[in-house]
Amino acid sequence: DTESALPMAAAAALLLLCAWLLPCGAPASPKGVTARLAAKWPATSLLLEASEFIAEEGNEKFWQFLETVRELTIYKKRDSEHSYYNLILKKAGQFLSNLQINLLKFALSIRAYSPTVQMFQQIAADEPPPEGCSAFVVIHEKRTCKTNEIKKLLKKAAERPRPYLFKKEHKFPALNENVPVVILYAEIGTKDFVKFHTVLSEKVQKEEIVYILRHYVQKPSSKKMYLSGYGVELAIKSTEYKAVDDIQIKATNDTTEEVDGEAVDLIYN
């Protein structure tokens, strides 16, 4: 009948109008801000960060881990990042419990030890490194990136000042501390590290030197170091203001004061 047809016609007209203008009831597009916190230093090696985690479990475990990953970086070029990450966890698992492995995964995910690795990198940059050397040693202010020059630099090392050592230094286990200090700057898991490490560890066993290792990467990553686990506050202010007639505002205020004396707050969006 005519009465039932009218509401149906009105509803159809409304649907057509909605389809012509905008989808009816369509939610507004969300306006979100995504923020990422990037450090001032480049991305650091997960292998070096894992070694710092193990170092906190004990100095002996640290050096045992280094022996296990002697030339591990060759897999970094050949395998995918995920496979290389799993390989690091597998090597670390020889010295850590299941609970500690889970903690290591968490530490690597938030890059908790990246600042420590970068600290050693900055110390190496302040030496500075000999040009073109991927690994080098400093023996009482004298530097070289050749293993066959170590013996010569050790001869008069006692006549030169001893280096300053930090709290988090990685010191190879030694019995004699009253000998020259040799600081190796190298990237663990590389051939150059193994070459120096073999020579220096033998000299420690002969009680000829104190052997210190500091992380050093000749060619740092070009990727940015994104950090997590830090609080970031973004203060965003809208600069869009509504045009309001001041005369109307004054009239409204006067009226409000006369009627109930309530204050009026103006909010600008």
Side-chain angles (χ1 to χ4, degrees):
D1 55 6
T2 306
E3 291 182 359
S4 60
L6 287 175
M8 293 179 62
L14 181 60
L15 288 174
L16 288 173
L17 182 61
C18 286
W20 181 64
L21 295 174
L22 284 173
C24 230
S29 58
K31 295 181 180 179
V33 177
T34 302
R36 291 193 297 178
L37 182 62
K40 292 184 178 180
W41 61 88
T44 51
S45 166
L46 290 178
L47 178 60
L48 303 188
E49 292 180 34
S51 73
E52 287 300 319
F53 178 90
I54 295 175
E56 292 194 350
E57 301 300 322
N59 188 54
E60 186 177 351
K61 285 186 177 181
F62 171 80
W63 290 101
Q64 289 174 347
F65 176 69
L66 265 56
E67 289 288 345
T68 308
V69 298
R70 290 174 72 90
E71 295 185 21
L72 198 70
T73 52
I74 60 174
Y75 297 99
K76 186 177 181 180
K77 299 176 183 178
R78 190 181 67 185
D79 298 347
S80 65
E81 290 186 5
H82 183 68
S83 298
Y84 185 61
Y85 167 79
N86 287 330
L87 183 58
I88 293 172
L89 294 179
K90 183 179 178 180
K91 295 291 184 181
Q94 299 178 36
F95 312 100
L96 303 174
S97 64
N98 290 334
L99 175 60
Q100 289 171 323
I101 284 293
N102 289 332
L103 291 174
L104 173 59
K105 290 178 180 179
F106 177 71
L108 293 178
S109 67
I110 65 173
R111 314 308 296 266
Y113 292 91
S114 180
T116 305
V117 174
Q118 178 59 24
M119 177 193 71
F120 287 115
Q121 183 77 12
Q122 187 59 48
I123 294 172
D126 292 340
E127 280 293 342
E131 188 175 353
C133 296
S134 59
F136 65 98
V137 292
V138 178
I139 305 174
H140 293 214
E141 299 183 347
K142 296 291 184 179
R143 298 183 296 274
T144 182
C145 52
K146 297 179 180 179
T147 55
N148 56 10
E149 292 183 356
I150 293 176
K151 187 177 180 180
K152 181 180 68 175
L153 295 179
L154 283 172
K155 286 183 178 180
K156 296 184 178 180
E159 300 175 4
R160 301 189 297 272
R162 291 175 70 88
Y164 177 81
L165 301 181
F166 301 93
K167 283 185 177 181
K168 288 195 173 184
E169 297 285 11
H170 303 302
K171 183 186 296 184
F172 194 86
L175 296 174
N176 190 359
E177 298 287 337
N178 298 318
V179 287
V181 179
V182 179
I183 301 176
L184 170 62
Y185 292 89
E187 181 181 3
I188 64 174
T190 62
K191 290 183 178 180
D192 287 327
F193 163 74
V194 174
K195 181 176 64 175
F196 273 100
H197 176 70
T198 302
V199 173
L200 296 179
S201 57
E202 289 177 357
K203 289 189 176 297
V204 171
Q205 292 171 3
K206 294 177 182 178
E207 299 186 10
E208 295 179 4
I209 64 169
V210 172
Y211 168 23
I212 303 293
L213 171 66
R214 291 174 180 172
H215 301 301
Y216 166 66
V217 180
Q218 183 186 21
K219 296 179 180 179
S221 173
S222 58
K223 298 180 180 178
K224 289 185 178 181
M225 181 73 251
Y226 291 107
L227 304 175
S228 59
Y230 295 83
V232 180
E233 181 184 44
L234 294 178
I236 303 175
K237 181 180 179 181
S238 175
T239 56
E240 297 180 3
Y241 296 92
K242 294 181 179 179
V244 181
D245 190 344
D246 292 342
I247 298 175
Q248 292 181 359
I249 295 174
K250 187 176 184 304
T252 305
N253 288 342
D254 293 342
T255 305
T256 306
E257 289 175 0
E258 290 177 2
V259 175
D260 52 20
E262 293 182 358
V264 177
D265 294 329
L266 298 179
I267 301 175
Y268 296 95
N269 297 322

